Amino acid sequence: MNPLFLLAWFRDRLSNDDPERGDVPGWVMITLMTAGLVLIIWAIAETQLGALFQTAIDRVLGRE
């Protein structure tokens, strides 16, 4: 395969002219913020969430 063809293909793929590409940095920020919120909530309520989960599993399995 021609190296110039590959360079042109990569240049076209990485150009920002395509309106269908979307806002990747925005999605990254939303994902990181969501993960951060989950970690904060989990750190604050770990004991309560574990008990809630165990109660739900026990009810599903008929142990209670």
Side-chain angles (χ1 to χ4, degrees):
M1 188 168 280
N2 187 351
L4 292 177
F5 172 77
L6 287 174
L7 288 174
W9 184 80
F10 278 119
R11 185 195 67 221
D12 290 341
R13 291 291 298 156
L14 297 175
S15 71
N16 292 330
D17 297 338
D18 187 7
E20 296 295 321
R21 272 189 69 120
D23 185 15
V24 175
W27 283 106
V28 171
M29 184 178 68
I30 289 170
T31 303
L32 290 176
M33 289 176 66
T34 302
L37 286 172
V38 168
L39 288 174
I40 290 169
I41 291 169
W42 189 265
I44 292 171
E46 181 177 2
T47 307
Q48 293 87 357
L49 289 171
L52 181 69
F53 177 76
Q54 191 60 48
T55 302
I57 293 298
D58 288 342
R59 286 184 183 174
V60 167
L61 296 177
R63 293 183 191 161
E64 193 172 334

